[in-house]
Amino acid sequence: MRILFLSVPTGQGHHQTCKALEDYYAGKEGIECKILDVVDNVDPLLGEFLSNAYLISTIVTPKVYGTFYGLAEKRNYTKNSSVGKLVKSILNKKLMKFLKEYNPDVIVATHIFSAIAISYLRHKYPLRAKTVAVITDFTVHPFWEDVDIDYYITATELLDFQTMKKGYPPEKVKPFGIPVSPKFSKKLPQDEARRRLGLEDKFTVLLMMGSMGYGNDTMANVRRLNQLQEDLQLITVCGNNKKLKVRIDRMKKRKSFINYGFTHNVDLLMDAADCIITKPGGLSTSEALAKNLPIIMLDPIPGQEDRNEEFMLNNGLAMSISETFTVDEAIYQLIHHPYRMQQLKENMKYIAKPNSARDMGEFLISICNEK
C-alpha cells in the first residue's frame, strides 16, 4: 500500500499534518508513505513565490489578505475560479508524470492548492488512486469550492452544515479531526513534564506563535506577563523568528523563563503548562484540544484564522485577548477563578480528536482494501 501526501510550503501546519499520519504508519508492514511538497518539487520558482507570498500576506499585509478572503466568501464561487485555473495550469503536467511513476494507492492533499490540482487531474486523467483532502481549519473556506475528490476530512462534526452548504455528499465527509501526531494523544503527568524541563511546580504559561513566530504584539504580551504579581513561570516558543527570541533572551525578567526558537517537543511543553497563548491556527489548536489544554487566542491571521477564533469562542473552547481584554487579565482569571479552567476543559472534551491520526490512518487502509 502506497500513500502519497501532498503539501505546500505555506507555514509548517500542512507538512506537520502529513507527518502526523506518517508517524502513525511507522513500523506497520506493507505500508509505504511519501510526503511531496507538491509546488516546490513540481515548480521550485512557484514554491518560493508561494512561501514568500504567505509571509507577505500574513505578516506584512494581513488586512489585505483578510479583505480578499472576505470577498471570496461573499461572491458566488465557481469551480472555474481564477485560483483554480492558476493551480491547474502550473501543476498538472509535471505532477501527473510523478503520479504515474510513483503509482500511489491513496493520495492525501493537506493544502487547498494540492487538493485543487488532484481534483483537476482525477477528472482529466484515469487516476486509480483514491483521493482524500484534509481541511486543516475549523472552517471550510471558499476556495474549497474548486475541489471535487473522493473524501474530505474535517476538524469536527460541527462543520457538517458548512460542507452540506457546499454540496458535499455526507458520505464523503469524515469528521476525524485535523490529524495530530500520536504523541499528542497521550498526556504525561504535569509534575513529571515540569521535572524533565527543569521547571518549578507552579502555574505555567506556554506562549507559542507558530513556526513563523508571527505575532504583532508578542513582546508587549510577554512584558505584561512578566509584570504580573502572581507567582507563575513562562515557556515561550518563537519559531523561526530569531529576532523575537533574542529580544526575549535579553529582556529583564522578573519571572522564570524557558525561551525556545523552533522546537520539536511541543507535546512535552503542553504537558507542563496550565494554559497556552497562541494564534488560532488549525493544527496548533487541534494539538491543544487533544491535550485538554486551555487556550488563550491572539493575533489571528485575517481570513481562516479569524474563522477558527470565531469557532473556538462560539463553542466555549478558548478565551481571546484584545485591547480591552488583555493577556494579563486572562491569566489572572485562570489563576484566581479555577472554574474558568474547568469550563474550557470540559467543553474541549466534546470537540477534541486526540486519535485523529489513528482514525484517519485506519480509514485510508480501509478504502485501499475496498479496491
Side-chain angles (χ1 to χ4, degrees):
M1 176 179 169
R2 284 183 170 180
I3 305 175
L4 177 64
F5 298 103
L6 301 180
S7 188
V8 167
T10 53
Q12 286 291 316
H14 304 287
H15 286 310
Q16 289 300 110
T17 298
C18 300
K19 191 68 172 59
L21 289 159
E22 186 181 52
D23 288 347
Y24 175 72
Y25 287 124
K28 294 185 183 295
E29 288 188 17
I31 299 177
E32 177 184 319
C33 298
K34 185 175 183 63
I35 299 175
L36 179 71
D37 186 331
V38 60
V39 178
D40 201 34
N41 280 274
V42 174
D43 190 327
L45 289 177
L46 178 62
E48 185 178 352
F49 168 78
L50 279 177
S51 185
N52 290 336
Y54 174 79
L55 285 171
I56 292 169
S57 65
T58 57
I59 299 176
V60 181
T61 57
K63 290 185 179 179
V64 174
Y65 175 77
T67 300
F68 173 70
Y69 185 96
L71 290 172
E73 283 185 318
K74 293 175 183 176
R75 63 177 290 190
N76 291 322
Y77 219 76
T78 70
K79 295 188 186 299
N80 294 311
S81 73
S82 57
V83 174
K85 288 178 180 177
L86 172 67
V87 175
K88 293 168 190 174
S89 65
I90 294 174
L91 298 183
N92 72 81
K93 290 183 180 179
K94 289 185 178 180
L95 182 56
M96 191 63 212
K97 181 177 183 294
F98 177 87
L99 293 177
K100 286 180 178 179
E101 292 173 354
Y102 187 65
N103 194 27
D105 297 288
V106 182
I107 302 170
V108 180
T110 63
H111 188 281
I112 183 63
F113 276 13
S114 53
I116 291 172
I118 291 301
S119 179
Y120 173 72
L121 288 175
R122 72 187 289 263
H123 287 289
K124 188 172 182 179
Y125 303 103
L127 285 180
R128 75 175 188 87
K130 292 286 187 180
T131 55
V132 181
V134 183
I135 301 174
T136 56
D137 285 293
F138 288 82
T139 185
V140 185
H141 69 61
F143 307 115
W144 283 98
E145 299 286 352
D146 278 305
V147 178
D148 180 17
I149 58 176
D150 292 322
Y151 297 101
Y152 303 85
I153 310 301
T154 60
T156 168
E157 296 84 350
L158 294 180
L159 297 181
D160 287 354
F161 184 74
Q162 290 188 36
T163 58
M164 180 181 66
K165 285 178 67 177
K166 291 187 182 299
Y168 297 157
E171 64 273 14
K172 284 191 169 191
V173 179
K174 305 296 178 181
F176 295 132
I178 298 169
V180 298
S181 173
K183 62 188 179 181
F184 288 93
S185 66
K186 303 171 185 177
K187 194 170 179 67
L188 196 68
Q190 193 175 66
D191 58 347
E192 172 63 15
R194 290 174 179 173
R195 186 188 65 77
R196 292 189 187 185
L197 291 168
L199 289 167
E200 297 178 63
D201 194 14
K202 63 171 70 172
F203 194 92
T204 304
V205 178
L206 170 60
L207 192 152
M208 192 170 72
M209 297 309 298
S211 64
M212 299 296 184
Y214 165 72
N216 289 332
D217 302 311
T218 302
M219 277 306 301
N221 288 318
V222 170
R223 291 191 184 101
R224 283 180 182 272
L225 295 172
N226 192 44
Q227 293 301 317
L228 269 171
Q229 297 301 311
E230 282 64 31
D231 188 21
L232 57 86
Q233 58 195 347
L234 290 100
I235 305 170
T236 49
V237 180
C238 303
N240 292 320
N241 191 331
K242 295 179 181 179
K243 290 183 179 179
L244 176 62
K245 185 178 186 308
V246 169
R247 291 179 70 189
I248 294 176
D249 283 339
R250 291 177 176 175
M251 70 178 284
K252 187 176 180 179
K253 300 176 179 68
R254 297 179 66 229
K255 307 294 185 188
S256 298
F257 269 80
I258 296 182
N259 186 32
Y260 292 90
F262 193 87
T263 179
H264 294 286
N265 68 338
V266 171
D267 58 312
L268 180 62
L269 303 184
M270 287 188 174
D271 287 337
D274 291 285
C275 66
I276 182 171
I277 303 169
T278 187
K279 290 189 324 89
L283 183 67
S284 57
T285 299
S286 296
E287 291 170 347
L289 287 172
K291 288 288 190 179
N292 198 230
L293 182 65
I295 303 168
I296 300 171
M297 300 177 297
L298 77 168
D299 284 340
I301 296 171
Q304 54 265 44
E305 286 193 358
D306 277 337
R307 306 302 178 269
N308 290 344
E309 182 180 51
E310 185 177 68
F311 178 90
M312 293 292 142
L313 291 176
N314 283 340
N315 290 284
L317 304 170
M319 303 167 76
S320 179
I321 68 171
S322 64
E323 290 183 4
T324 53
F325 183 70
T326 54
V327 67
D328 47 350
E329 182 173 358
I331 294 298
Y332 181 93
Q333 285 190 9
L334 294 182
I335 291 174
H336 292 283
H337 305 285
Y339 76 89
R340 295 287 282 122
M341 297 270 282
Q342 287 307 118
Q343 284 177 328
L344 294 172
K345 287 186 173 184
E346 190 61 33
N347 290 339
M348 284 180 169
K349 293 176 184 177
Y350 294 98
I351 308 296
K353 305 282 187 179
N355 297 308
S356 51
R358 180 201 68 188
D359 295 342
M360 182 176 168
E362 290 302 309
F363 173 72
L364 296 184
I365 293 173
S366 72
I367 62 176
C368 256
N369 291 337
E370 290 173 1
K371 296 173 63 174

